[in-house]
Amino acid sequence: MSAPLPPIGMLAELTHRCPLQCPYCSNPVELLKANRELDTETWLYLFRQAADLGVLQVHLSGGEPTLRRDLEQLIAGLAGRGVYTNLITAGVGIAEGRIEAFAEAGLDHLQLSFQGARAETTDRIGHNRGAHEKKLETARRTVAAGLPLTINAPIHRHNIEQVPEFIKLALSLGAERLEIANIQYGGWALLNRDALMPDREAVMRQAEIVEAASAKLAGVLNIDFVTPDYFAIYPKPCMGGWARDAFMVAPDGTVLPCHAAHTIPSLTFERFGEKSLGEIWEDSPAFNAFRGTDWMQEPCRSCERCEIDWGGCRCQAMAIAGDAAATDPACIKSPHHARMAAFVAEAQAAAAAHDASADFHYRRITAGHEAAKVKA
């Protein structure tokens, strides 16, 4: 295998703390407390190494990254190295004047999530009363500060029929971009799969609505559509391909190829500080485990798509096939592909029996290993 090219993108999960408790969150079910987070100087040192390594853009995420009191300093550190910064926020509880401070520090873009296009949906999914109005105010302040705005709409059973309303919402707020992001089933979303899975007819209607709106609003609103793996024929490349051009860093400095890589028990991931970013990117056995195509089994190895999807999602293969090297079950060529439809059918049966939203496992930091189960 040839030496890897330098990475160009990085996701920095600055904290797992969050005022919302969304049951679809991609964070691990065992969340890290504040005392496990890297301090300011360590994050700044890490960002300097990332820039030296070739990273051009950093997505500042969480949890809720604005809970970090040093966020302005972190943004300024990246801006000073010419690195593009995108703040991914829930937009709840941001103090007056702080968005303007982010812009002054050099922030390039803000991505704001809405759990629903309607207030009652946002408040129920996020388990935070009044969250919707706070998000609307964050959007207005972002545009007023001169920052480009993306509205992120994580889609699942409980808001999929609101896609036309999400489009109207993004237009009304002056957003430049709308991401219709069907949730991916890892972390808390996997725990809540039965309660969140939409039916196939709703997914097809959604795709038609997005296609028509994208054509109609070309040049006005850029609409990105993240297709749902459980209804796909072919998989998506995970993070552009495992350790191919991007990586993520957890709040404690653990460096990972993707959000859910820690769910693969055969791999051990290193922390920044114990090794440099360059050493981890180039030499880590975990990063090299599924890099390129040499690791692939059949039918992936001889597939004409092997350098298009790069094998798809290794974590999904682990979760569904029990083998991280197996063909992603989202692929129609996978012997496990039928299990995706079976999971959809099971979710529909559960929804028909009762209100599945009453079974949400809401995201929260707990002392134990069991996720808290709270009634909606």
Side-chain angles (χ1 to χ4, degrees), residues 13-313:
E13 290 191 339
L14 301 178
T15 180
H16 280 164
R17 292 172 288 145
C18 187
L20 302 186
Q21 300 178 24
C22 304
Y24 60 77
C25 183
S26 62
N27 285 160
V29 172
E30 294 184 32
L31 298 164
L32 297 173
K33 296 184 179 182
N35 62 2
R36 301 278 302 278
E37 296 171 13
L38 297 182
D39 61 25
T40 306
E41 290 306 316
T42 305
W43 272 117
L44 289 171
Y45 183 39
L46 187 154
F47 290 150
R48 290 195 293 271
Q49 287 199 15
D52 291 341
L53 194 57
V55 168
L56 301 176
Q57 57 182 334
V58 171
H59 303 276
L60 300 166
S61 181
E64 175 48 55
T66 63
L67 291 177
R68 292 280 307 214
R69 296 179 181 179
D70 57 357
L71 184 54
E72 291 88 339
Q73 190 175 350
L74 300 181
I75 292 169
L78 287 162
R81 291 298 305 269
V83 177
Y84 183 94
T85 50
N86 173 40
L87 175 61
I88 303 173
T89 177
V92 175
I94 303 177
E96 186 174 352
R98 203 159 183 224
I99 291 174
E100 294 78 7
F102 297 154
E104 186 175 347
L107 184 67
D108 292 295
H109 182 272
L110 188 143
Q111 179 174 316
L112 174 62
S113 65
F114 275 83
Q115 286 64 47
R118 306 168 192 165
E120 62 270 20
T121 307
T122 297
D123 295 354
R124 179 166 61 92
I125 299 299
H127 214 245
N128 186 305
R129 189 179 298 277
H132 195 81
E133 289 302 320
K134 296 171 186 174
K135 291 170 182 287
L136 294 176
E137 179 60 23
T138 294
R140 289 189 284 265
R141 287 161 51 193
T142 297
V143 173
L147 288 170
L149 173 67
T150 287
I151 299 300
N152 173 255
I155 300 297
H156 46 78
R157 178 191 302 163
H158 304 277
N159 66 6
I160 194 167
E161 301 298 347
Q162 297 176 28
V163 167
E165 296 168 64
F166 275 118
I167 295 170
K168 292 179 182 178
L169 177 66
L171 288 170
S172 72
L173 293 174
E176 297 184 0
R177 178 173 168 266
L178 169 65
E179 184 174 325
I180 301 294
N182 287 272
I183 62 170
Q184 306 300 308
Y185 291 94
W188 290 83
L190 182 59
L191 185 69
N192 284 291
R193 183 171 56 194
D194 280 355
L196 294 167
M197 185 75 70
D199 61 50
R200 185 171 296 278
E201 291 74 18
V203 171
M204 295 303 106
R205 285 195 301 272
Q206 169 200 224
E208 292 173 0
I209 291 167
V210 171
E211 183 178 6
S214 296
K216 181 180 179 180
L217 297 171
V220 177
L221 178 66
N222 180 23
I223 304 178
D224 288 343
F225 184 56
V226 180
T227 57
D229 284 347
Y230 281 64
F231 300 89
I233 297 175
Y234 296 112
K236 297 184 287 292
C238 174
M239 294 277 289
W242 181 277
R244 185 166 174 263
D245 58 21
F247 62 93
M248 69 155 286
V249 181
D252 67 349
T254 301
V255 186
L256 301 158
C258 70
H259 284 94
H262 64 277
T263 62
I264 301 176
S266 62
L267 300 181
T268 299
F269 297 98
E270 293 150 320
R271 291 181 61 191
F272 176 74
E274 298 169 355
K275 289 189 176 180
S276 69
L277 275 186
E279 289 172 324
I280 295 171
W281 176 258
E282 295 175 4
D283 302 324
S284 167
F287 271 61
N288 284 316
F290 303 112
R291 184 175 256 153
T293 60
D294 291 347
W295 60 271
M296 292 181 180
Q297 304 174 359
E298 293 295 350
C300 296
R301 180 181 290 272
S302 58
C303 180
E304 68 280 2
R305 294 181 56 85
C306 71
E307 294 190 7
I308 296 174
D309 56 43
W310 299 98
C313 181

Side-chain angles (χ1 to χ4, degrees), residues 338-360:
R339 296 189 66 185
M340 305 293 263
F343 287 129
V344 173
E346 289 173 11
Q348 299 320 303
H354 66 291
D355 177 12
S357 69
D359 291 336
F360 281 157

Side-chain angles (χ1 to χ4, degrees), residues 351-376:
H354 66 291
D355 177 12
S357 69
D359 291 336
F360 281 157
H361 294 262
Y362 281 106
R363 174 205 188 278
R364 56 180 53 186
I365 295 177
T366 60
H369 297 292
E370 294 298 322
K373 185 176 180 179
V374 182
K375 294 294 183 182

